[in-house]
Amino acid sequence: MKSTAQTYAPIVKKMPTSWRVFAIASIAIFMASLDTTILYAGFDNILRSFPSSSAANLSWAMSAYSIVYAAMLIPAGGLADKYGRKKIFMLGTMLFITASFACGASHSVFWLIVARVFQSIGACLLTPAALALVLEAFPREKRMVAMGAWGAVGALAAALGPGIGSFIIDVGGWEWAFFINIPIGLFCIWQSFTILHESVQPREKMRFDIVGMLQLILGVGAIAFGIVEMKSANWSQFELTSIIILGLILILSYIPWAKINPEPLFDLSLFKNKTFLFANLAGISFGIAFSIMFFSFFFWMKSIWHYSLTMAGAAIMPGPLMVVPTAILSGKIASKIGHRPLLIAGSITYALSGLWYLLIPDQSPDYLTEWIPGMLLSGISVGLVMPSLSAAAVFGLPAKDYAVGSAINNAVRQIGAVIGVSITVLLLTKSSLQIADFKPIYSIHIVLALITALLCIPINTHPHKLLVKDK
């Protein structure tokens, strides 16, 4: 049997240079993005492996990854710009697969969380470096199409994570959800030596703001803790509400800190760009809705329709299969009319998918008529919204801010994912779930999708804006 490297190397070598760079960067991003959602599928299996741990404790294996990813992604973009995007990309990939092995070999939830933190740091290093390498590889007039395809890769990986994870975990155990990263990562490192070219963006100073990172980590962590523990007998409602408020204060305290710090975690002036500001606000809203949707699907399939894990993963596949063609098509359309119409249409369609699941499925499994229509709606929505948000966030930013701007956009969506996971754990981790338990989940989904649509109205990436700027 041919190895992964033997199978894919000839395919990569036949591509034009720019698309060869895109292929290697995309494979690595697919691997890293997969691990942001793959544990949705393995949540129950891992919990059974550690019977002394609670669902709230295990949720930190997902949330810790996302929180550290959100905080470290921004300085990682600066590291890639200064020390070399190829170098940081390869370093991040090696750290990611090493930590993946540690995750699979963990003997307790505590060590799994620790390994996930290091895995997240690896993902932080490779992600902005990969995007910067791709942007450098394409001429300016072709970047819209490349960004559409790039966004599709990340969106598809995030969407396919639960489905692929279900099969891997059912066949080999939850450990293989992590071990599978090792051959993929080694292939990327091998190909990087010859395909990638070093790219730097010199900076006089490095923005490695420890205080800013702690404000973000502790703030988001406090909000997630307060939500997850809301039904715990160990904490009063007043105490948990106070912790959530403290988390918000910690995050907002970054604003005055950034104004007095000469080298803050990120420059607040980036948010003077209205499109950048609203693309990131929409990213938080959509990130919450996205993680709620996918996490709750597994609870429904296993608890209401009593599907096996593999069947549950397969049942979710039609939606993700719609993501890539939709995203590629939306990239081409955006190059002519901009991203705003696609974002608004996609957000409204996403709300309709939530409405479908709120009203249609019942206790009796009827997959073809009750599930697939909602899946197709959600897949089209994700294909329209996720890549468009990624592209809109960096639209109009100067070349020196590509990596940092992309890092901020990824970070805010990770913050949304943390909050979404926390809400789902709070509402659906019960011994016996009923259909009524899902009504609040899908209601939140609908509201967040509509909020995303409203936040996308000020986004302006129409091509005429680019032409005016170039003149």
Side-chain angles (χ1 to χ4, degrees), residues 355-366:
L355 184 64
W356 178 276
Y357 288 115
L358 179 68
L359 301 176
I360 303 301
D362 57 25
Q363 195 75 36
S364 303
D366 191 346

Side-chain angles (χ1 to χ4, degrees), residues 268-288:
L268 291 174
S269 65
L270 288 173
F271 289 93
K272 292 179 180 178
N273 182 317
K274 188 165 68 171
T275 291
F276 183 77
L277 170 63
F278 282 93
N280 283 294
L281 290 174
I284 294 177
S285 176
F286 195 80
I288 298 172

Side-chain angles (χ1 to χ4, degrees), residues 25 27-37 64-77 79-80 85 88-100 103 115-131 150 181 403 406-407 410-411 414:
I27 291 169
I29 289 299
F30 188 91
M31 172 186 69
S33 299
L34 207 63
D35 268 37
T36 63
T37 57
Y65 181 99
S66 296
I67 292 170
V68 173
Y69 190 83
M72 291 291 296
L73 196 58
I74 299 166
L79 286 170
R85 289 145 178 178
I88 296 299
F89 172 79
M90 294 175 69
L91 174 64
T93 304
M94 180 57 71
L95 177 58
F96 186 86
I97 61 176
T98 302
S100 293
C103 287
R116 286 281 282 173
V117 167
F118 282 96
Q119 192 188 36
S120 181
I121 295 172
C124 286
L125 292 174
L126 73 89
T127 300
L131 177 60
W150 177 261
N181 294 327
S406 173
N410 274 282
Q414 291 302 313

